[in-house]
């Protein structure tokens, strides 16, 4: 039993797998944060573009549905 406990304590292969898992989780969090930020910026950009086109059409007397 002591031999098993010594080998179990000395074994570091599980620690490496946990480290890789933590790295993968950190990368996933970064990707999600970047996608969220990019999505918000794209939404703002398209809303501004839509407003600009709608205002330009209104000034020209062009009717746009919506």
């Amino acid at each position: 039993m002591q031999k098993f406990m010594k080998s179990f304590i000395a074994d570091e292969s599980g620690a490496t797998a946990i480290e890789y898992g933590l790295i993968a989780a950190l990368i996933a969090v970064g990707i999600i944060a970047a996608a969220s930020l990019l999505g918000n910026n794209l939404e703002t950009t398209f809303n501004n573009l839509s407003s600009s086109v709608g205002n330009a059409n209104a000034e020209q007397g062009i009717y746009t549905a919506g």
Side-chain angles (χ1 to χ4, degrees):
M1 188 62 155
Q2 284 181 330
K3 185 178 180 182
F4 170 75
M5 289 303 289
K6 285 181 182 179
S7 67
F8 181 75
I9 291 171
D11 186 14
E12 294 184 5
S13 62
T16 302
I18 291 172
E19 289 169 356
Y20 283 128
L22 290 172
I23 291 170
L26 185 61
I27 290 171
V29 167
I31 290 172
I32 291 168
S36 176
L37 181 62
L38 180 62
N40 289 338
N41 288 341
L42 281 176
E43 181 181 7
T44 301
T45 300
F46 280 113
N47 284 338
N48 291 341
L49 178 63
S50 175
S51 295
S52 296
V53 169
N55 290 338
N57 286 340
E59 289 174 2
Q60 296 294 321
I62 300 171
Y63 172 76
T64 57

